[in-house]
Amino acid sequence: MSEAVAAAVRVVRESGLPHETSSMFTSVEGEWDEVMDVVRRATEAAGRYGSRVSLVLKADIRPGHTGQMQAKVARVEERLRH
């Protein structure tokens, strides 16, 4: 399974969009059409390794805001310091 996941993550990394990969998820930040194109291509890349792909999609749509993957964590870390 790691080979299929790696293929999908490679698509995300090559997209140039801000992203983070953890043990369970890969988060991508960007404009709707850009992100959905990356999701489609990553899903297709993973699909080359089997007959089925499981996809969990969660969207946080907040027009006018960028860099929120790091900013949200920074706000929590700031509160933990106090």
Side-chain angles (χ1 to χ4, degrees), residues 6-16 37-39 41-42 45 48:
V9 171
R10 183 174 293 112
V11 170
V12 172
R13 290 183 178 178
E14 290 174 353
S15 75
D37 177 60
V38 171
V39 169
R41 291 186 292 115
R48 293 185 192 108

Side-chain angles (χ1 to χ4, degrees), residues 6-80:
V9 171
R10 183 174 293 112
V11 170
V12 172
R13 290 183 178 178
E14 290 174 353
S15 75
L17 294 176
H19 62 275
E20 293 178 351
T21 299
S22 70
S23 62
M24 295 295 293
F25 299 101
T26 297
S27 298
V28 182
E29 185 174 58
E31 295 298 319
W32 181 263
D33 289 340
E34 292 176 312
V35 171
M36 295 314 291
D37 177 60
V38 171
V39 169
R40 179 187 52 78
R41 291 186 292 115
T43 302
E44 290 170 352
R48 293 185 192 108
Y49 293 86
S51 60
R52 175 167 109 191
V53 175
S54 176
L55 172 69
V56 175
L57 181 64
K58 180 178 179 181
D60 182 3
I61 302 166
R62 197 168 177 205
H65 291 79
T66 60
Q68 292 302 295
M69 285 191 300
Q70 291 79 24
K72 288 178 181 183
V73 174
R75 288 191 293 270
V76 171
E77 292 295 336
E78 178 63 26
R79 293 202 180 266
L80 289 170

